[in-house]
Amino acid sequence: MVCALASACCFGTASVLQAIAARAVEAGSGSGVDPVLLFRALRQWRYVAGLALDGLGFLLQVIALRSIPLYAVGAALAASLAVTAVVAAGLLGTRLTVVEWAAVATVCGGLAMIALASGPAGNRVGPAALRWSLLGAALAVLLVGVFAGRFPQGPRTLLLGLGAGAGFGVVEVAVRMIDSLAVPRLFTDPALYALLLGGAAGFLLLTSALRGGSVTVATAGMIVAETAGPALTGVIWLGDRPREGLQWLAVTGFAAAVTGALALARFGDTRDGTAAPPPKGAPADACGTAVRRRQPPQRQ
């Protein structure tokens, strides 16, 4: 569980750095997924630093996926949105409301409940058809990017976030299903190619979502898809189970962690949508909201 939480810290910090870098590059001609955007963003040191944190987070995530249930890892990764909110407040000078701090506390409380209720990871390898289904799901994530440009900005950002989360969810399940690293068996395993394709598609869709929309909306969509799918897969096909008698605590903790993360996204998105348009030249935070400077009180 410690590795899963450390992974969430890496991913949450990386999201802020990548959002800042993605907004600093010139957008392409399309309104949907822009493959060239990823290469442009790689010229920004913040994006490269974010990728380094993503790499470290992924290694920690692999360790967690091999030792605790998928639902526990997914809930821990939901905390990355709380990390994103706190890091954005530190780097960009934004302030979290009382409700948002309560949402952060809810996420942390949910994770604590899951840590107490989680049993060991299931020992099932799953049916063979599941491996090919993962590869099909990774291909479907790419189709999401193809059709995303037809939607308005708000729904497009959420759709891209959901697609990115589905891609990363494929990675989580694939890591659990790869049961041998021996060559050539590894290279004949569909789960390996699902892992590579799902991860690449997830990065591409998330980068495009962060470039044009709210980082909180994109991350919230990613969390929903990244937690729900793998959690159900682990319980149904891979044998993940909570400790005996603590099923209610695991369900409650999972619901609390995801609900708290979504609450953070909801209130963050409300600020983005209701804020007045920034004056020309005014700095903006990673969510696209103008940074308001505190004015000194006027003398009576």
Side-chain angles (χ1 to χ4, degrees):
M1 194 67 177
V2 173
C3 290
L5 292 175
S7 176
C9 291
C10 291
F11 290 145
T13 305
S15 293
V16 177
L17 295 176
Q18 290 166 348
I20 297 173
R23 292 174 183 273
V25 301
E26 183 180 356
S29 56
S31 59
V33 173
D34 182 7
V36 181
L37 173 64
L38 186 59
F39 295 99
R40 291 173 179 164
L42 286 172
R43 300 177 183 176
Q44 302 286 325
W45 71 265
R46 291 182 181 86
Y47 197 88
V48 176
L51 285 180
L53 284 174
D54 281 330
L56 176 59
F58 178 71
L59 291 177
L60 294 169
Q61 181 185 8
V62 169
I63 297 173
L65 287 169
R66 307 294 290 189
S67 56
I68 62 176
L70 281 171
Y71 66 81
V73 177
L77 293 179
S80 64
L81 184 54
V83 175
T84 295
V86 174
V87 172
L91 293 181
L92 302 171
T94 57
R95 290 187 176 182
L96 296 180
T97 65
V98 174
V99 175
E100 289 167 330
W101 279 117
V104 172
T106 300
V107 172
C108 295
L111 293 175
M113 287 186 279
I114 290 175
L116 292 173
S118 294
N123 54 8
R124 300 179 190 170
V125 296
L130 182 59
R131 299 174 184 270
W132 292 102
S133 298
L134 287 177
L135 188 56
L139 292 172
V141 169
L142 291 177
L143 293 179
V144 170
V146 172
F147 292 104
R150 302 182 180 183
F151 291 84
Q153 180 62 65
R156 180 168 64 246
T157 300
L158 180 59
L159 181 61
L160 290 172
L162 288 168
F168 296 140
V170 168
V171 172
E172 293 180 26
V173 179
V175 167
R176 275 284 299 275
M177 296 197 68
I178 295 176
D179 54 356
S180 175
L181 299 179
V183 178
R185 181 177 178 181
L186 175 64
F187 294 103
T188 59
D189 191 343
L192 172 65
Y193 301 100
L195 185 155
L196 297 175
L197 184 59
F203 267 116
L204 179 59
L205 267 64
L206 183 59
T207 301
S208 298
L210 293 176
R211 174 61 183 86
S214 167
V215 63
T216 51
V217 172
T219 309
M222 180 184 68
I223 285 173
V224 169
E226 189 179 12
T227 55
L232 290 175
T233 301
V235 171
I236 296 173
W237 285 295
L238 303 181
D240 290 346
R241 295 289 185 276
R243 294 181 182 178
E244 188 64 31
L246 294 180
Q247 291 86 345
W248 64 272
L249 188 61
V251 173
T252 303
F254 184 87
V258 175
T259 300
L262 293 179
L264 277 172
R266 176 180 178 275
F267 286 101
D269 187 48
T270 300
R271 275 205 308 271
D272 291 349
T274 58
K280 186 176 182 179
D285 64 15
C287 300
T289 306
V291 178
R292 302 192 179 189
R293 302 182 184 276
R294 178 177 293 181
Q295 300 295 332
Q298 296 182 355
R299 298 180 179 178
Q300 301 293 331

